[in-house]
Structure formats: C-alpha cells, structure tokens
Amino acid sequence: MKDLMPINGLFEMPALPYEALGTIISKETLSFHHGKHLKAYVDNLNKLLPGSGLENLPLSEVVRKSEGGMFNNAGQVLNHAMYFEQFSNTPKAMSPKFAVLLERDFGSVEAFKKEFEQKGTTLFGSGWVWFSADAQGKLVITQQKNAENPVTMGLTPLLTFDVWEHAYYLDYQNRRADYLAALWQIVDWAIVESRLC
C-alpha cells in the first residue's frame, strides 16, 4: 500500500489522475466526491494535527493511533486516497498469478466479485467494502462502517469500494448494486496487486 506522508506536519490533497471515468463515474460525481468531500476531510485532519504528536507520522499510522474526530478524518483521507488511486480509464487486467490467489481463497474470481458486491450491497448505512490480506497472506473481504479501515485490524488493504451515498448517488441514485457491479470495469489490477506486500 502506498502510504501518504505529511509535508511539514500536514497532508496534501491527493491528486486525481482523471477527470471522469467513462460512463462509470461522471465528472460531476468526481467534482463533489474528490473536490469537496475528500478536500473537507484533508482540511479537517490538518486542523487537528498540530500539537497532536501524530503530525509527522504516515497516514496509516495516524489512522491506527488516533480516535474521535481525528480518526474519522484520517480514515476518510486514507480510504478515499486508496479508492481514487485504484481506478483508470485504461485499467490493467488481473494477472494470472493473482487470479490463482483469488481462486485459492474464494473458489473463483467470479465468486470473489459476487461476495464483494454482496457485502457492499448489504452494508447498512454508510461505509466501505474492503478486500485485504491478513498477516499470513489469506485474502479476506470485510465491511467497514463510516471511516473504518482494515489497517486497524492488522490487515493490508488492497481494494475498496465506497458505499457512502455521495460516491454514487448522482450517477446511480439508489441503485447501489448497479454502481458496485459497474466499478469492476475501471479497477486497475496492477495497482491493486502492487498493494500486496
């Protein structure tokens, strides 16, 4: 996982490497989701960092060691940075080696995607569905509420789909399942696989 490092004790806004993602995520959604929601989390985190003792730590460490408002904002910065980074208009396909890992732990690539979508669809309220690796390399899918991130459970996060309504409502309205199913078309598996340390 590529961790964000503070500069002079503050985190910079992660860059967005595209303006829109075809018909999957519109420019309007990205304008609100990245330009307003993520920016607010970055700004709020930076207001809370000075004097906290956490201002020079990598973002994942801030998430592990913080609580309350700082945890909520740090978690949302980390979650969103990973979310936006993993997509592309020209995504790389999953490698055969990685497909074998999915087959080992889920039975098949399709079974993995079905379980991932099901957990994303059935997460009550706002949050994230995560695909991660545990310390032994076993691949797992978890549901995380609000700003939670698998790093707090000792997992290495590899892929996430945001199921807060602001992530999809402009493009999909209340059709969360359609949004989740569509995202596979823009997942860049080279980035996902690079997160498996």
Side-chain angles (χ1 to χ4, degrees):
M1 178 181 74
K2 182 175 126 185
D3 214 342
L4 296 179
M5 295 296 297
I7 298 172
N8 298 322
L10 300 174
F11 288 97
E12 292 187 342
M13 180 76 172
L16 191 62
Y18 36 73
E19 288 189 3
L21 289 159
T23 60
I24 309 302
I25 303 178
S26 69
K27 185 175 183 177
E28 184 181 19
T29 290
L30 290 172
S31 174
F32 281 98
H33 195 185
H34 181 271
K36 297 191 186 309
H37 286 277
L38 176 54
K39 185 173 185 329
Y41 294 129
V42 172
D43 290 347
N44 290 337
L45 175 60
N46 284 335
K47 288 175 188 171
L48 295 168
L49 277 171
S52 67
L54 304 176
E55 52 267 80
N56 295 308
L57 296 178
L59 184 57
S60 63
E61 282 301 305
V62 177
V63 172
R64 285 187 190 97
K65 296 181 176 182
S66 63
E67 55 187 32
M70 185 174 294
F71 171 81
N72 288 335
N73 286 284
Q76 289 291 53
V77 174
L78 179 58
N79 295 357
H80 282 90
M82 294 189 72
Y83 173 80
F84 290 122
E85 179 192 55
Q86 72 195 4
F87 298 131
S88 172
N89 281 304
T90 55
K92 307 282 189 313
M94 183 185 299
S95 72
K97 183 178 178 182
F98 201 75
V100 167
L101 296 178
L102 290 175
E103 290 163 6
R104 179 196 70 191
D105 291 337
F106 298 98
S108 69
V109 173
E110 287 311 310
F112 155 73
K113 289 182 177 180
K114 182 177 180 183
E115 181 179 340
F116 195 85
E117 290 176 40
Q118 185 269 336
K119 286 198 171 164
T121 303
T122 59
L123 176 63
F124 183 77
S126 299
W128 303 79
V129 58
W130 287 93
F131 170 51
S132 305
D134 70 12
Q136 289 73 46
K138 179 176 171 52
L139 303 174
V140 296
I141 298 170
T142 58
Q143 295 172 315
Q144 310 286 153
K145 291 188 173 292
N146 301 319
E148 294 173 2
N149 185 292
V151 298
T152 62
M153 303 161 57
L155 299 172
T156 300
L158 307 176
L159 172 79
T160 188
F161 287 178
D162 186 345
V163 293
W164 284 67
E165 284 189 340
H166 64 244
Y168 61 89
Y169 209 82
L170 292 176
D171 297 328
Y172 297 88
Q173 289 77 52
N174 64 338
R175 301 187 314 276
R176 183 190 284 186
D178 292 349
Y179 155 76
L180 293 169
L183 290 180
W184 298 119
Q185 298 174 59
I186 55 172
V187 170
D188 191 320
W189 285 99
I191 293 170
V192 175
E193 293 177 34
S194 74
R195 294 171 174 172
L196 185 60
C197 301

